[in-house]
């Protein structure tokens, strides 16, 4: 792992584009179902992401990782709203994107923090950056009084699932999407939850 790695809540405006590119490197294929044009998708992400709902891993000014999250007050990607989509994609493109993105929408239970995507730069993977981001998120969730951290991992992503389980996330349910596999590219996803110990 990089010696000068720092984890910060949020990021400065000048790193917005780098963070969007990193997020798109991991979640672009999924978002492409809704927004196929990669240049427009990146611009939408750049405009929509909310730093307040993220932790980033920095080596100097280089972004090595980002972990987005969702709470009852907002989410990393909640800025991807119909109006922004209409401005960038036109009426039909926005309609298509809104309908497809609704399939990915997940509701929150009270005092639950939901992961809204974690991505580590391909060259830095396997070096502990993802672990550090998740550990920081756990500390944050505990400080803020959340009871659980929830995330979903698709059935083809064994590596990420191993990491979550190593960090104490427990599988709670698996959802099957057999009839949507042609659209989503995966046929099942497992929900994992991390239970936060209340402070003594
Ligand atoms: C999953 C991910 C965030 C982990 O970050 P990381 O910095 O590589 O993780 P760490 O170095 O802290 O931990 C390594 C663990 O991550 C897992 N992992 C997942 N994908 C990996 C990859 N491409 N390279 C290395 N490790 C990977 C492995 O299980 C590894 O644990 P192991 O050594 O016990 O096998 C990162 O690999 C990534 O961005 N992957 C692509 C996007 C993604 O899948 N996001 C999660 C969606 S639910």
């Amino acid at each position: 792992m990089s010696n000068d790695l720092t984890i910060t809540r949020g990021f400065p405006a000048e790193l917005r584009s780098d963070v969007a590119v990193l997020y798109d490197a991991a979640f672009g294929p999924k978002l492409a179902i809704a927004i196929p044009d990669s240049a427009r998708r990146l611009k939408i992400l750049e405009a929509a992401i909310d730093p307040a709902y993220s932790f980033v891993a920095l080596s100097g000014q280089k972004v090595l990782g980002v972990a987005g999250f969702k709470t009852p007050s907002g989410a990393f990607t909640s800025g991807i709203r119909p109006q922004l989509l209409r401005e960038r994609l036109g009426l039909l493109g926005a309609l298509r994107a809104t309908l497809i993105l609704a399939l990915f929408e997940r509701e929150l239970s009270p005092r639950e923090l939901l992961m809204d995507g974690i991505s580590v730069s391909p060259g830095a993977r396997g070096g502990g950056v993802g672990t550090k981001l998740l550990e920081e998120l756990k500390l944050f969730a505990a400080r803020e009084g959340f009871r659980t951290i929830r995330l979903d991992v698709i059935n083809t992503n064994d590596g990420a699932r191993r990491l979550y389980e190593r960090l104490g996330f427990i599988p709670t349910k698996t959802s099957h999407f057999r009839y949507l596999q042609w659209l989503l590219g995966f046929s099942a996803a497992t929900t994992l939850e991390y239970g936060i110990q209340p402070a003594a």
Side-chain angles (χ1 to χ4, degrees), residues 34 96-107:
R96 172 202 157 97
T98 305
L99 287 174
I100 294 173
L101 290 171
L103 293 173
F104 297 121
E105 202 49 53
R106 293 162 303 161
E107 292 310 314

Side-chain angles (χ1 to χ4, degrees), residues 44-68:
I44 289 170
L45 271 177
E46 194 180 326
I49 51 180
D50 186 340
Y53 296 92
S54 74
F55 283 90
V56 294
L58 299 172
S59 172
Q61 279 295 288
K62 200 169 156 37
V63 188
L64 295 186
V66 56

